[in-house]
Amino acid sequence: MYMQKKNMFKRILFKTILPTLAITFSVSASFIPTGCSNPSDVVKAITTEEPITFVENTVLPVLLDFSLSSSNNLVLYFNKNVTLENSILSEKASDTKLNVSADSYNSTENSVTYDFESICKTGIEYILDTVATDESGNTLTLSLPFTGYNTNMAGLLLSEIRIGYASVKSGETTVHKSEFAELICTKDGNLSGIELVCASSGEDRKFKFPAIDVQKGDYITVHLRTPTYKDEVEEGIFSETNEDKCISTHIDSCDTAIDLWAESTKSVFNATGDVVIVRNSYTNEALDGFIYTQDGMLEDSYTPYASVLVESKIWNGPYFDSNGITKSAAARSMSRQNISGLLDETNAEAEDDAADSNETIYADSKDEWIKTKEVTPGYLNSSKTIN
């Protein structure tokens, strides 16, 4: 076990902002995500009151990406140089609206930066409405939702993972034990801006942590499937987003831990092998991760996720052997055995006035994990191994 500074998470993975981005064009255009065909190669149609005329090699403004780096800083990246006008910043849940202006333009990156006078609050949803105009007069009207930047991000490490899903009897009722990922908090802070993604289920089904404050030593269980019985959501399923840790009463909930529930009703794990990553959504940096496989191999499409963990030294050595851990084995899990040591290391780091613990990674390997026959979501991990 050793500590070292994280390498910046290379932009191997595309940012998935498209599903929530509502864009209306005053000329016909489409959003081109990072990594797609060169926009200059795309034939676009310019809409007028006359019949549509197709103009070859016409490049219209397209928003490619955006990023947050502070509580009042927002950067938008386009496919070409644009100017932004008529910009309005509003809180999604209120009538508060502010007229804002772009503060700087970078012609090399085709980026535009806003430095808002008012600080955006952690976890609060905002919308930026603006109009982008290129040098030819083509315009793009867009409405960009984003969440207020978290200036005090908590430290999280994976603690236990169950990929099994099974039904059990609870009195006269049938309930289901869901897949979960348990995490341990290594630094006080807020969970906003942290996300959990599995290579097999991809970016569209990643779990985004809510904006709640946590303390070092807290266990957080993310139940990664909302179970249903006869098409009805089972009882007792509530995400504990306030200080009450007794709201969630469904099986495998814990009164001394924080239980959070994903909205998905499908599995997020692949039984034969997968890559699980906890990451900072603002920078795409991996905070922790776990790689397991039954035969030592991973699907080709999982390679970029695994490479992130290996290259950043978060994962060290061979993948974890998950033989015996199946989709139907809800009584078995994969659990980390060095939790107390990791908490001790963050204590020592604080005493040494070292950098923020989110800037330190803990090189992990298959030797720190075991296959256990006693599942303990929200509690100290079991050391009872599978024969």
Side-chain angles (χ1 to χ4, degrees):
M1 176 61 57
Y2 63 91
M3 300 188 297
Q4 70 176 62
K5 295 291 182 181
K6 288 200 303 288
N7 297 326
M8 287 295 291
F9 179 24
K10 297 180 180 178
R11 290 180 174 268
I12 298 173
L13 311 176
F14 303 148
K15 288 180 68 67
T16 55
I17 61 173
L18 303 187
T20 58
L21 191 59
I23 299 181
T24 304
F25 293 82
S26 59
V27 291
S28 175
S30 62
F31 192 103
I32 303 176
T34 304
C36 287
S37 301
N38 189 326
S40 64
D41 296 332
V42 180
V43 176
K44 301 294 183 182
I46 298 179
T47 303
T48 68
E49 294 181 357
E50 301 298 325
I52 294 176
T53 302
F54 290 93
V55 181
E56 190 169 354
N57 292 328
T58 297
V59 182
L60 302 179
V62 178
L63 177 65
L64 301 177
D65 202 354
F66 76 95
S67 65
L68 298 165
S69 60
S70 71
S71 57
N72 65 342
N73 175 271
L74 174 66
V75 183
L76 279 61
Y77 300 90
F78 292 86
N79 63 323
K80 60 192 306 186
N81 286 324
V82 298
T83 57
L84 298 183
E85 298 177 316
N86 303 324
S87 301
I88 298 176
L89 177 68
S90 58
E91 285 190 29
K92 188 175 181 180
S94 74
D95 295 328
T96 303
K97 295 181 182 295
L98 296 173
N99 291 318
V100 295
S101 300
D103 290 276
S104 63
Y105 293 83
N106 186 320
S107 59
T108 302
E109 295 182 347
N110 296 331
S111 65
V112 184
T113 299
Y114 287 89
D115 289 314
F116 304 125
E117 292 183 7
S118 299
I119 293 176
C120 296
K121 301 174 184 177
T122 297
I124 299 298
E125 294 182 330
Y126 294 88
I127 298 175
L128 175 70
D129 293 296
T130 190
V131 179
T133 306
D134 67 15
E135 295 176 352
S136 299
N138 299 316
T139 60
L140 164 69
T141 300
L142 62 90
S143 185
L144 175 67
F146 67 95
T147 303
Y149 187 83
N150 182 4
T151 58
N152 184 32
M153 187 173 288
L156 289 184
L157 292 176
L158 289 165
S159 173
E160 184 177 8
I161 294 173
R162 178 173 71 193
I163 68 171
Y165 179 81
S167 61
V168 295
K169 278 289 186 179
S170 178
E172 298 298 319
T173 307
T174 297
V175 296
H176 290 83
K177 289 175 171 284
S178 295
E179 305 91 333
F180 69 78
E182 178 195 73
L183 303 100
I184 185 76
C185 177
T186 61
K187 170 186 170 292
D188 296 355
N190 194 284
L191 298 182
S192 181
I194 302 177
E195 57 191 19
L196 177 73
V197 62
C198 300
S200 62
S201 50
E203 301 297 323
D204 290 341
R205 293 171 61 197
K206 64 187 176 185
F207 179 82
K208 297 181 180 180
F209 285 85
I212 58 176
D213 292 325
V214 293
Q215 295 181 327
K216 182 176 179 177
D218 281 345
Y219 278 101
I220 302 151
T221 302
V222 181
H223 305 269
L224 288 164
R225 185 196 306 217
T226 292
T228 59
Y229 181 65
K230 295 183 178 180
D231 296 327
E232 294 289 335
V233 174
E234 296 174 10
E235 294 183 358
I237 295 175
F238 299 98
S239 286
E240 295 166 344
T241 56
N242 54 34
E243 295 180 359
D244 190 346
K245 297 179 180 179
C246 300
I247 298 175
S248 182
T249 58
H250 193 271
I251 192 168
D252 288 328
S253 297
C254 176
D255 290 347
T256 59
I258 298 170
D259 290 286
L260 302 174
W261 291 86
E263 295 181 357
S264 175
T265 58
K266 299 179 180 179
S267 174
V268 297
F269 295 116
N270 181 16
T272 58
D274 215 333
V275 184
V276 185
I277 296 179
V278 182
R279 71 185 178 202
N280 180 329
S281 66
Y282 304 125
T283 63
N284 269 348
E285 289 179 87
L287 306 177
D288 194 28
F290 180 66
I291 308 174
Y292 69 89
T293 175
Q294 291 185 352
D295 59 7
M297 304 293 291
L298 288 173
E299 298 281 347
D300 289 343
S301 60
Y302 303 173
T303 301
Y305 292 85
S307 296
V308 166
L309 297 181
V310 173
E311 292 175 8
S312 62
K313 308 299 183 183
I314 287 177
W315 188 265
N316 180 31
Y319 303 154
F320 181 81
D321 178 6
S322 61
N323 272 309
I325 303 294
T326 66
K327 299 285 280 188
S328 60
R332 297 180 174 186
S333 71
M334 297 170 283
S335 68
R336 202 170 197 161
Q337 297 297 293
N338 60 337
I339 295 298
S340 60
L342 295 177
L343 294 177
D344 289 342
E345 288 186 44
T346 57
N347 282 334
E349 182 182 353
E351 292 173 1
D352 291 340
D353 293 324
D356 187 301
S357 64
N358 265 346
E359 295 299 319
T360 302
I361 62 170
Y362 301 87
D364 198 12
S365 74
K366 65 182 183 63
D367 297 327
E368 275 78 54
W369 292 74
I370 65 169
K371 294 176 284 189
T372 178
K373 56 185 178 182
E374 186 176 30
V375 179
T376 58
Y379 298 96
L380 185 66
N381 289 347
S382 171
S383 59
K384 296 180 179 179
T385 59
I386 297 172
N387 294 329

